Amino acid sequence: MTALNDEARVIEAGRPPTRFARGWHCLGLADAFKDGEPHEIEAFGTKLAVFRGRDDGALHVLDAYCPHMGGNLAHGTVKGDAVACPFHDWRWSGDGRCAGIPYARRVPPRARTRSWTTLERNRQLFVWHDPEGNPPPDDVTLPEIEGVHGPDAGEWSDWTWKTARVDGSNCREIVDNVVDMAHFFYVHYAFPTYFKNVFDGHVATQYMESAPRGDMDLGNLSSPLRSDASYHGPSYMIDHVWTEVAPGVEMEMVLINSHYPVSPDSFVLQYGAIVKKLPGMTDQEAAEAARSLIGGLETGFEQDIEIWRNKTRIDNPLLTEEDGPVYQLRRWYEQFYVDVADVKDEMVRRFEFEIDTRRANTAWRAEVDENLARRAAAETEAGAP
């Protein structure tokens, strides 16, 4: 008979929630939707049609499927401030009302489709999603990034932006990374020398200082950096990053890490960067610095995605204290999946946790030193006559 303490731990995989998180979700750079054509976005278990009104100049988001006979509005045409269905030319204004049916005597009084609440901020387009159908509260908003909206916005590069669809994985997987100190060494090739989390209300923040691994080629990410990264709601992270590019010269960057759900087990990951120009730096040089930064981040995200696609969901992770406050983060994250009336104090009250990284870094530096020594020995042997 097997003793209780010798029993193997059984993973509780559970199932992802069937509802989608309440909050603001970024659909991408706003300018990408301003070309005069409707655009299709697959999100929240359906499809959306995004278009810019020709007269009002505003971006609108409607359910993509026309309530007349199911035509896809995202495959239609923008006519004035309405999008026309390609099937029968029924025209739908940005508020969801039918703006006209060319061949009909009258518009049916119930001719209305769902219009999504939108927000343009930081030169990005957001939609508000709430399973209960409530509007966004005034205190649940998204900060304006100084590098985009501030008085010195002209001193920053434009956005460099990347998008990737992740199938076979729930949004919770990416949010777990907020507290996952150890994966930064194994996946992102950095020594996290300082790591602290603060959860407060609808904001979850990760404070980190890190140094690059010497046994990896990290390109533009080969300098120590400090990072203040905050999720504002369930899916939009603003990360302020500072890194030394020369003795006494620090470069400031802002990274965006965002996602929106496609289905309970798939989501679209989007990430972008802007860089503050150093003295004497041209617009082209700043843009190239942002592209180089994104190139380095892309490698790490590709490795994240490969892990997400192949791992199992785990509701009862087996943790050490160096793994960070995973359960507390998930309790914070749960507030976006329950009705507002069911949000508990433990989900939103302030919580702080700092990880002691010393032991981990001692072990990791020994591993890196061993890797470098092995590499040097191999190079010496290869060069021997």
Side-chain angles (χ1 to χ4, degrees), residues 32-276:
F33 302 105
K34 295 181 178 180
D35 58 359
E37 302 294 332
H39 294 259
E40 180 178 289
I41 296 288
E42 187 177 2
F44 308 109
T46 187
K47 290 185 178 180
L48 311 177
V50 184
F51 69 98
R52 183 188 191 186
R54 289 184 178 173
D55 300 326
D56 65 15
L59 287 174
H60 305 288
V61 180
L62 304 177
D63 279 359
Y65 296 120
C66 179
H68 170 225
M69 291 289 286
N72 191 329
L73 301 179
H75 293 220
T77 308
V78 177
K79 297 182 178 179
D81 286 339
V83 60
C85 180
F87 201 178
H88 299 92
D89 202 27
W90 283 43
R91 302 173 187 184
W92 302 91
S93 60
D95 63 2
R97 297 181 183 276
C98 183
I101 308 168
Y103 64 86
R105 294 179 181 177
R106 65 183 183 89
V107 173
R110 297 182 62 184
R112 186 159 189 166
T113 190
R114 178 165 55 169
S115 173
W116 294 66
T117 300
T118 62
L119 173 70
E120 276 193 66
R121 181 149 295 173
N122 302 326
R123 299 203 301 273
Q124 296 148 15
L125 173 64
F126 299 84
V127 293
W128 173 259
H129 176 267
D130 185 348
E132 296 181 90
N134 296 320
D138 292 337
D139 61 339
V140 179
T141 187
L142 300 172
E144 292 187 343
I145 298 172
E146 287 297 317
V148 177
H149 296 286
D152 63 344
E155 296 301 311
W156 289 74
S157 72
D158 201 354
W159 287 111
T160 295
W161 201 257
K162 294 283 186 177
T163 300
R165 175 164 169 156
V166 181
D167 291 308
S169 187
N170 180 257
C171 297
R172 191 181 71 179
E173 301 295 343
I174 185 172
V175 177
D176 273 351
N177 282 1
V178 172
V179 297
D180 191 349
M181 182 272 294
H183 100 286
F184 281 95
F185 177 79
Y186 297 104
V187 178
H188 300 289
Y189 303 144
F191 294 101
T193 54
Y194 175 80
F195 201 94
K196 181 179 179 179
N197 289 116
V198 177
F199 312 144
D200 194 359
H202 71 285
V203 180
T205 301
Q206 171 200 95
Y207 298 99
M208 182 175 68
E209 296 176 10
S210 67
R213 285 180 57 169
D215 58 341
M216 296 292 178
D217 181 9
L218 300 176
N220 200 46
L221 296 178
S222 58
S223 301
L225 59 82
R226 56 192 175 95
S227 163
D228 296 352
S230 296
Y231 265 106
H232 297 272
S235 65
Y236 184 73
M237 172 185 278
I238 302 175
D239 186 3
H240 295 271
V241 178
W242 299 265
T243 185
E244 190 174 69
V245 294
V249 180
E250 192 173 59
M251 178 173 281
E252 183 178 354
M253 300 161 282
V254 176
L255 310 179
I256 297 298
N257 170 13
S258 69
H259 62 274
Y260 60 81
V262 175
S263 69
D265 61 355
S266 61
F267 60 88
V268 170
L269 169 67
Q270 300 189 90
Y271 53 101
I274 55 174
V275 172
K276 190 171 186 179

Side-chain angles (χ1 to χ4, degrees), residues 379-385:
E379 292 173 352
T380 299
E381 183 177 348

